[in-house]
Amino acid sequence: MLEVSDERARAIILILASTGIRIRAIIELRLEHLKLIPDYNLYQVGVYSDSNQRYLTLTTPEAAKAIDVYLKYRERYGEKLTPKSPLFRDQFDREDTLSVHNVKPLKLRTVERLISRTIEKSGIRTVERVTELHSEKGKIRKNIKLTVGFRKFFDTQLIYAKVEKQTKELFMGHSIGLDDHYFTPEDTHVLHEYLKAVDYLTINEEHRLRLRLDEITKKKDEIETMELKHQEEIGSIKQQMNQLMTMVQRNPRLANIKPEILVNTKPS
């Protein structure tokens, strides 16, 4: 599906797969509902933010990058993005300034049609030709709910990643009974649980390998920092030992004094 998608379709598919949100939530998202977490290059997403059903989920870095590419595409053709701008908008004529600035949020039916056509274009699902008596415009579509597959994929990958059950249900926007009132994990805890699943939710193998390379590079930098600190500590110890030796050479009687006392004594 991603191979046959444009910028908008790609971002929609990846946000559905990496957040587990329902398709109707897509049309309500605005830029103000996204919060970048720069340390991990991903977005926190506020779902149904204008209702009492509000909950938070997260995207993978892969999905965050697709969103950024799509938004830059819109800016490139003259759209002025604001916090109130819809995350996903109607298709526009790139050569028509009026069309670019006349921003309309996507409709639910448009999102469903976009995903359906992408599925057909990719060859995952076929369209059977039948007579006009059996379907509209001579087509009948297999009875598959479009977003159930995305949510099922998300749920399954979180199970594989061993994300704790209560947090997984929060990511899905499910009620957890009485725990709705008592289970209020901190953002850092929720982020930690989601990070367990990032590799499982990342679709593109090249992107997954890049994430692992970044992780290895980060660990290498940490090791080098520790080695540098270790060398500095060794240098400090050597300097103290030289000071002690100088003091003892000047006054042999100091050899009978405990070293920790001499360390704090300036040589005369």
Side-chain angles (χ1 to χ4, degrees):
M1 290 176 66
L2 296 177
E3 289 176 356
V4 298
S5 297
D6 60 14
E7 291 90 346
R8 183 178 65 166
R10 183 180 182 84
I12 289 175
I13 290 168
L14 287 175
I15 199 172
L16 285 171
S18 71
T19 63
I21 63 176
R22 296 174 177 85
I23 191 170
R24 62 188 177 91
I26 286 281
I27 62 176
E28 298 179 14
L29 289 177
R30 298 190 296 272
L31 296 189
E32 64 183 349
H33 298 150
L34 269 60
K35 176 185 176 183
L36 179 64
I37 303 180
D39 288 346
Y40 299 97
N41 297 318
L42 50 77
Y43 283 115
Q44 181 187 80
V45 183
V47 186
Y48 304 136
S49 292
D50 299 328
S51 75
N52 57 9
Q53 295 179 308
R54 184 180 187 275
Y55 71 94
L56 297 176
T57 185
L58 295 144
T59 71
T60 60
E62 178 185 36
K65 181 178 179 181
I67 291 170
D68 291 343
V69 168
Y70 170 59
L71 294 178
K72 288 177 182 177
Y73 163 78
R74 287 161 57 179
E75 286 186 310
R76 191 162 63 249
Y77 286 98
E79 182 180 344
K80 303 298 182 183
L81 298 177
T82 72
K84 296 295 183 182
S85 296
L87 178 58
F88 297 104
R89 61 162 293 176
D90 61 327
Q91 200 64 284
F92 58 88
D93 183 349
R94 294 174 296 183
E95 305 300 326
D96 184 348
T97 303
L98 183 60
S99 176
V100 170
H101 293 291
N102 185 25
V103 180
K104 297 178 181 178
L106 281 181
K107 295 181 179 179
L108 179 60
R109 179 57 185 156
T110 303
V111 181
E112 291 176 339
R113 189 183 302 114
L114 183 151
I115 295 174
S116 180
R117 288 177 177 173
T118 304
I119 291 174
E120 292 166 9
K121 189 176 179 181
S122 69
I124 295 172
R125 187 178 67 181
T126 60
V127 179
E128 299 174 357
R129 299 285 174 178
V130 293
T131 64
E132 287 288 340
L133 294 175
H134 292 88
S135 67
E136 182 181 358
K137 297 183 180 179
K139 295 184 179 180
I140 184 169
R141 302 183 185 278
K142 293 183 178 179
N143 187 23
I144 301 174
K145 291 187 177 180
L146 295 175
T147 56
V148 169
F150 291 110
R151 281 176 63 78
K152 183 176 180 180
F153 168 80
F154 179 77
D155 185 61
T156 301
Q157 301 312 308
L158 264 59
I159 292 173
Y160 288 158
K162 295 181 171 55
V163 173
E164 64 180 16
K165 185 175 180 180
Q166 287 175 311
T167 305
K168 179 179 74 68
E169 294 304 304
L170 290 179
F171 286 141
M172 295 288 292
H174 290 161
S175 172
I176 50 178
L178 289 175
D179 284 337
D180 284 342
H181 303 285
Y182 300 109
F183 182 64
T184 54
E186 295 181 355
D187 287 351
T188 52
H189 175 78
V190 173
L191 175 61
H192 174 74
E193 288 298 307
Y194 185 84
L195 290 175
K196 292 180 182 178
V198 165
D199 268 2
Y200 294 84
L201 294 169
T202 299
I203 307 301
N204 189 294
E205 184 64 24
E206 179 183 349
H207 194 91
R208 185 183 291 108
L209 292 174
R210 189 180 301 113
L211 289 175
R212 290 178 181 172
L213 178 61
D214 290 343
E215 183 179 352
I216 292 171
T217 302
K218 183 179 180 180
K219 288 182 178 179
K220 181 175 179 292
D221 291 341
E222 290 174 353
I223 292 172
E224 290 177 349
T225 301
M226 291 174 64
E227 288 179 345
L228 181 60
K229 183 178 179 181
H230 183 59
Q231 291 173 1
E232 290 175 350
E233 290 174 348
I234 291 175
S236 177
I237 292 172
K238 286 181 177 179
Q239 184 179 6
Q240 291 177 6
M241 290 300 295
N242 290 335
Q243 290 177 353
L244 289 173
M245 292 299 296
T246 300
M247 293 169 67
V248 170
Q249 287 172 357
R250 292 178 179 179
N251 189 349
R253 289 180 299 176
L254 296 178
N256 297 320
I257 300 177
K258 292 181 179 180
E260 56 266 28
I261 296 176
L262 292 177
V263 168
N264 297 318
T265 304
K266 293 182 180 180
S268 57

